[in-house]
Amino acid sequence: GAGVSQSPSNKVTEKGKDVELRCDPISGHTALYWYRQSLGQGLEFLIYFQGNSAPDKSGLPSDRFSAERTGGSVSTLTIQRTQQEDSAVYLCASSPGVGDTEAFFGQGTRLTVV
Amino acid sequence: GQSLEQPSEVTAVEGAIVQINCTYQTSGFYGLSWYQQHDGGAPTFLSYNALDGLEETGRFSSFLSRSDSYGYLLLQELQMKDSASYFCAVRDHAGRRALTFGSGTRLQVQP
């Protein structure tokens, strides 16, 4: 596609429910990143994919968070048993994967846990 | 741990010049980037410095001093549309492509 696409754009869920957030990176980009941004804050790194593998999962805040990437393209971030502190904007970015100096971000998914 | 410090807010008038500073403390350093984010929008890339010195791209310039662990973003001929948050970010590990971001500087441009 022309840019990084994320869905849904907004998600309201009840505490304790599971949610899935989707990211479609720019076609041909091998590197994919998930970040989380709380209101008025910077971006917090969650996980990085190179192809289908995740060499860096160091930012996942707990074992309730997981992510996968299939076919070297679409990625899904899953949050199980959501908590109110999970409320944030979840941003996905992609980059070509070689000699990267720029990451291209999607518009994000605003998650609200009530 | 890793940390990046930048001012939380800056206010300037149209046509003026503003400088947003960023100091970093990271275990490694492989480049300083700047991103712009309008309210409700996606962060967009502005610049990248791997080596010391000034990089200029139109009205925006970015500077890096690796010996001082310091960089800045310079915005000239400010326009109302430049009102946004600006984030510095560091790639701190050769094998880790992900960036560590500062908390952002909210720039308000006034008429």
Side-chain angles (χ1 to χ4, degrees):
Chain A
V4 178
S5 177
Q6 293 187 244
S7 61
S9 55
N10 280 284
K11 176 72 176 179
V12 180
T13 189
E14 291 182 353
K15 179 181 172 181
K17 301 283 190 183
D18 298 352
V19 295
E20 283 190 356
L21 312 179
R22 177 187 168 104
C23 173
D24 275 282
I26 292 172
S27 178
H29 281 191
T30 61
L32 185 147
Y33 319 80
W34 283 98
Y35 291 87
R36 179 169 72 173
Q37 186 175 33
S38 299
L39 188 63
Q41 299 298 309
L43 283 70
E44 174 191 4
F45 168 74
L46 298 178
I47 188 169
Y48 153 61
F49 286 93
Q50 181 60 42
N52 290 337
S53 64
D56 191 348
K57 306 178 184 179
S58 62
L60 294 177
S62 76
D63 58 8
R64 296 187 295 106
F65 288 72
S66 63
E68 65 175 14
R69 188 179 186 193
T70 55
S73 182
V74 172
S75 177
T76 302
L77 177 69
T78 301
I79 309 173
Q80 296 179 308
R81 305 181 301 281
T82 52
Q83 304 294 313
Q84 287 187 330
E85 61 263 28
D86 299 334
S87 296
V89 176
Y90 289 81
L91 290 159
C92 175
S94 70
S95 62
V98 178
D100 295 346
T101 59
E102 176 178 356
F104 298 81
F105 282 84
Q107 294 289 328
T109 294
R110 181 176 298 278
L111 175 67
T112 304
V113 182
V114 298
Chain B
Q2 330 286 22
S3 71
L4 289 88
E5 291 194 11
Q6 51 182 131
S8 58
E9 287 188 25
V10 173
T11 302
V13 297
E14 263 189 305
I17 299 173
V18 71
Q19 178 174 312
I20 299 173
N21 298 321
C22 174
T23 57
Y24 57 88
Q25 285 188 315
T26 56
S27 56
F29 181 81
Y30 294 89
L32 179 71
S33 301
W34 289 91
Y35 283 78
Q36 178 192 61
Q37 185 180 33
H38 287 97
D39 285 348
T44 56
F45 173 82
L46 292 177
S47 68
Y48 172 77
N49 295 67
L51 303 176
D52 290 353
L54 190 68
E55 296 278 345
E56 298 181 65
T57 307
R59 295 187 297 115
F60 293 1
S61 303
S62 57
F63 172 82
L64 174 65
S65 169
R66 288 175 298 168
S67 60
D68 295 322
S69 298
Y70 164 76
Y72 66 72
L73 180 69
L74 190 73
L75 297 84
Q76 302 182 70
E77 300 172 21
L78 282 174
Q79 302 175 10
M80 297 297 290
K81 68 178 181 179
D82 297 330
S83 293
S85 292
Y86 293 83
F87 296 88
C88 59
V90 168
R91 185 178 164 210
D92 54 19
H93 192 287
R96 183 177 189 263
R97 294 187 177 279
L99 298 170
T100 299
F101 282 81
S103 296
T105 298
R106 188 169 184 85
L107 171 65
Q108 182 143 6
V109 180
Q110 297 178 337

